[in-house]
Structures are given as C-alpha cells and as structure tokens.
Amino acid sequence: MKRKPKITDVAKASGFSIATVSHVINGSRPVSAGTAAKVNAAIAALGYVPDSSARSFKTGRHHLVGYIAPDIGNRFFSLILEELEDALALRGYNLLVINTRENGQRELNGFQVLTNGLTDGVICASTFQDYADLKPAIPKNFPLVMIDRLPKNYSGDSVRVSCCDAIREAIHVLVQAGHRRIGLIASIGRLSTTVERLNAYCDALKEEGIEVDPALIKQGDSRSRSGYDCMRELVDNGVGAVLISNSVMAGGAISLLDNRHMIIGKDIQVAALRDYEWHRFQQENVHTVEQPARDMAKFAAQLLLDRIEDPTGAPREVILKAAYHAGTEPTKCECLPDI
C-alpha cells in the first residue's frame, strides 16, 4: 500500500521549510501569495491531506469559517462567497455556507449551528434590522464580522459600502438633464442598505430643490418580479427617470421597459445599483452605482482572521465607497418645467 504523503514531503516538493508549509496550512503566520501558491500546488500534486483533528487539538481551531448569506441565488452575495473562499484559502481556512433566504429564523438557526464549536468565526450579511434580536444566538466574544448590512445596535467588526455620494451624483446628472420627476425603486425596508439609499435619494432631491413625492417611491422585496411591478407603476405615473437601489430588481424593471418597447436613454432614463458583472446594463445605456463587492469580501476575511487571532482588539469598521458611472448622456426633457 502506498504510504500517505507527509508534511515533510510537501516541504521537499515545494522547496520551503516545514515551518513555512505549516504556516500556509494553518494560517498561523502571513506568507506571500507566491509562497502560498507553490505550497498549495505541492499539496495538490502529492495529494497531501493535513490531519485536521490533530491540528484542531493543538491550536483549538477548526480552520473553518461560516458565511451566512441572505440569498445565494443573488449574484452579489455569491460573488462575495467566491472571494471569501479565495481569501480564506490563502490562510488555510475553509468556508461553510448558510443560505437564509431573507428568513430571520433560518439565520438564528444558522448561528446556533455555526457557533456551537463547528467554526472559528462567522461572516454574516444579516436579514435582521436590530442586532438585539440576533445577539442572544451568538456566544459572547465569538468572532463575527457583519458584511454589507449593518443592523442597528451592532458595534462589532463590519465591512460595508456607502452609496450616498454616488447616488447624489446620479440624481444630479438626471436633474441637469431636466428630469424632475425621478422615481425610486427600493428594496426591503428593514435593511440598513435600503434605508441608506432611500435617505440618499431624498437628500439628493432636496439638494437639487426638488420636493420628495412619496408616490414616486416604490418598495419591493429584492426579487426581479417586484422590480418589474414597481417599474410598471412608475411608468404609468409618467416618470422620466428612475433610480433602482437593488441590482436584482433592476433586471425585472428593465424587462418591463423592454415589454413596453421603451428605449432607455430616449423614452426614460435609468440609474441602478450594479453589484456585479452584468453587461446588459452597459448595453441598455443604464447609469450605474457600482459596489466593490470583491474588495468588501477581502476586507471581511481579513477582519475575521484578525479577530480570531486577537479576540481582545478594538472593533473595526471598514466603509468602502460606491462609484457612479454614466451611461450615455441622459436625453434632455422636451419641455423643461419652470424652476
């Protein structure tokens, strides 16, 4: 019977010391990406499998991290998943995923499973509005990073994106083109991201001297169908431009315009959150507010691993900025109202 490869074999094949190989496997000390790649290549070529039970006994860690996502079917959250896997693998960690489907009870159940000695920490995009409702399910001092969404009363490590400046810029461009009836398609009302984007929309209109009209604000459920229905209501209300604060709903909204044979940039102008590589936005002349999802995932992985290494450090908050990108120049309104 062929003997199982040992860590000494990996060291010899990769050209690095046993200590370096151990750091790559256990994530116990940072190594360069090139070194990690060579060690991991040697591991794959030899078919080396670390003794995880012995490693956990020695370090008290499982080298397993949980990711609680609200909707894996949403490309934005699956993109974060992909980047988390890559970032964590470089430090010898694997990822375990819980898909809550925006259900609070599923999230609570997920935390109970992941924090019961199974993982070393959790990265979560929470569906809860208030952390007080989630806190009882999480052991004290358990490593946790909130990503994308920030529930009220949460004061731990977090990574999120601010869309305020980009939304203000998008509204300004639309107003400069003569649009004053600018609708908003928003997502689930309890989410911190929805609240921030709604406030940014209202603030931007006020800065442009435009009164906020509640009839032009439509709220959906983060699904394509609700985007379709919200856009139908706004088009029937005669809006000239629409800001869509959720990329999945944007797909449904654009489908409504296609069905009505309305040309974006001519019959109506659209600005939308773009969370991932959706080339149709460019093809349809959609103005975009783009979130750096990959960077957000990288920061979240780093914050969590740092928290695992040092449970006593002060909480850190990373706030990234969304970027506004114009499509084609918005069509000027045929009749500009008096201002």
Side-chain angles (χ1 to χ4, degrees):
M1 181 181 293
K2 186 178 179 180
R3 74 175 181 85
K4 294 182 179 180
K6 299 180 180 180
I7 192 170
T8 51
D9 300 317
V10 176
K12 183 177 180 180
S14 65
F16 295 101
S17 67
I18 294 175
T20 298
V21 172
S22 178
H23 291 320
V24 172
I25 294 171
N26 297 317
S28 51
R29 183 177 299 172
V31 299
S32 70
T35 296
K38 291 178 181 178
V39 171
N40 286 323
I43 290 173
L46 293 171
Y48 172 70
V49 179
D51 187 342
S52 58
S53 61
R55 183 175 58 180
S56 296
F57 179 78
K58 291 178 181 178
T59 65
R61 296 176 188 160
H62 304 278
H63 285 80
L64 186 64
V65 166
Y67 171 45
I68 297 181
D71 182 7
I72 291 299
N74 182 333
R75 176 59 180 155
F76 175 57
F77 293 110
S78 63
L79 186 64
I80 290 176
L81 165 60
E82 293 170 7
E83 199 64 41
L84 285 176
E85 284 184 320
D86 291 343
L88 291 168
L90 290 175
R91 297 281 295 273
Y93 281 78
N94 291 311
L95 197 63
L96 182 62
V97 182
I98 299 289
N99 185 22
T100 69
R101 300 179 185 174
E102 298 287 8
N103 182 290
Q105 188 57 55
R106 289 175 67 99
E107 184 172 324
L108 288 171
N109 294 343
F111 267 109
Q112 289 171 356
V113 170
L114 296 175
T115 63
N116 193 25
L118 180 62
T119 66
D120 299 315
V122 168
I123 295 170
C124 175
S126 181
T127 194
F128 279 89
Q129 181 179 25
D130 194 330
Y131 183 65
D133 297 324
L134 180 59
K135 187 176 180 179
I138 305 172
K140 186 177 180 180
N141 298 324
F142 185 83
L144 170 64
V145 174
M146 287 291 180
I147 189 170
D148 183 49
R149 304 168 176 183
L150 191 65
K152 291 189 301 183
N153 298 311
Y154 176 75
S155 57
D157 298 313
S158 64
V159 182
R160 60 188 177 88
V161 174
S162 174
C163 296
C164 293
D165 291 343
I167 287 176
R168 286 192 180 97
E169 189 175 355
I171 295 295
H172 176 73
V173 170
L174 294 174
V175 172
Q176 289 298 303
H179 295 286
R180 297 186 66 81
R181 288 177 55 78
I182 303 172
L184 173 69
I185 296 178
S187 186
I188 301 171
R190 69 175 181 273
L191 303 179
S192 63
T193 47
T194 301
V195 173
E196 183 207 54
R197 294 164 194 174
L198 172 59
N199 289 339
Y201 161 84
C202 293
D203 290 343
L205 288 180
K206 292 174 184 176
E207 290 170 5
E208 299 290 341
I210 300 174
E211 184 176 352
V212 177
D213 184 352
L216 301 186
I217 299 175
K218 303 298 177 183
Q219 205 132 26
D221 61 3
S222 295
R223 298 184 183 279
S224 179
R225 180 67 205 192
S226 67
Y228 185 99
D229 293 338
C230 290
M231 181 61 88
R232 183 186 64 242
E233 294 178 27
L234 289 173
V235 168
D236 290 344
N237 201 349
V239 299
V242 179
L243 172 68
I244 310 171
S245 72
N246 176 281
S247 62
V248 175
M249 294 174 68
I254 292 173
S255 294
L256 180 281
L257 299 179
D258 288 343
N259 289 345
R260 294 282 183 95
H261 305 292
M262 298 179 69
I263 300 174
I264 297 174
K266 179 181 178 182
D267 303 315
I268 192 170
Q269 186 59 55
V270 174
L273 264 288
R274 175 180 171 181
D275 305 311
Y276 54 90
E277 300 88 345
W278 189 13
H279 299 294
R280 186 182 180 193
F281 275 9
Q282 184 175 358
Q283 295 167 358
E284 296 283 4
N285 299 322
V286 175
H287 293 236
T288 58
V289 174
E290 301 189 23
Q291 296 190 95
R294 293 187 181 277
D295 290 340
M296 190 161 45
K298 290 176 183 177
F299 275 111
Q302 185 60 57
L303 286 184
L304 186 67
L305 295 177
D306 289 348
R307 177 60 56 198
I308 292 171
E309 293 288 336
D310 181 12
T312 63
R316 290 187 289 171
E317 180 182 45
V318 176
I319 303 176
L320 306 177
K321 293 277 189 179
Y324 168 73
H325 295 284
T328 56
E329 287 297 315
T331 301
K332 296 286 185 178
C333 292
E334 293 180 351
C335 299
L336 297 180
D338 293 332
I339 298 177

